[in-house]
Amino acid sequence: VAAQNCRKRKLNKILNLEEDVRNLQTQKESLKKEHCQCSKSVSQMKQKLNNLYHDIFSRLRDDEGRPINPCQYVINCSSDGSVSIIPKHLVKSEQKQNNEKEQKQK
């Protein structure tokens, strides 16, 4: 009787583990689909942002009426909602300074 009960418990454990495996496989597939959808959404947002970026720069002009070169400038959006155009070389130097500050803090 003890051996029979032991085999029954073992079988129940195996069945529970098999069910857990099936549930995890289902969850894995669901997460894969969700990841794929998120990746598509991110890709679409990047494309929209890129289009917006090009649209903004196509409309911008310097003081003499010439188009502003998007290779030389970047659009900066601050937390207060203001938008400005900054030369790229200034942004790179600011990033270097910020990186140096972060490294010193570590």
Side-chain angles (χ1 to χ4, degrees), residues 1 11 25 40 42 44 49 51 59 72 74 85-86 98 103:
V1 174
L11 184 59
Q25 287 173 336
K40 286 179 184 178
V42 167
Q44 289 173 347
L49 182 61
N51 292 343
R59 297 169 190 238
Q72 297 174 349
V74 294
I85 298 173
I86 302 173
N98 289 340
Q103 288 177 356

Side-chain angles (χ1 to χ4, degrees), residues 3-84:
Q4 189 176 13
N5 289 339
C6 184
R7 285 190 294 271
K8 187 175 180 180
R9 280 193 305 272
K10 181 180 176 182
L11 184 59
N12 284 336
K13 284 183 182 181
I14 291 172
L15 292 175
N16 287 337
L17 288 172
E18 288 174 346
E19 185 179 348
D20 289 346
V21 168
R22 284 191 300 273
N23 290 337
L24 288 171
Q25 287 173 336
T26 303
Q27 184 180 7
K28 180 181 175 183
E29 290 301 316
S30 175
L31 289 171
K32 279 184 177 180
K33 288 178 184 177
E34 185 179 349
H35 179 264
C36 185
Q37 289 172 344
C38 289
S39 294
K40 286 179 184 178
S41 294
V42 167
S43 178
Q44 289 173 347
M45 284 185 215
K46 284 182 180 180
Q47 184 61 44
K48 287 180 180 181
L49 182 61
N50 192 32
N51 292 343
L52 178 62
Y53 187 84
H54 287 293
D55 186 45
I56 289 170
F57 271 103
S58 71
R59 297 169 190 238
L60 291 175
R61 302 283 183 245
D62 64 9
D63 294 337
E64 298 173 5
R66 296 179 301 215
I68 292 179
N69 187 351
C71 296
Q72 297 174 349
Y73 294 90
V74 294
I75 298 172
N76 182 38
C77 302
S78 62
S79 59
D80 65 359
S82 63
V83 178
S84 57

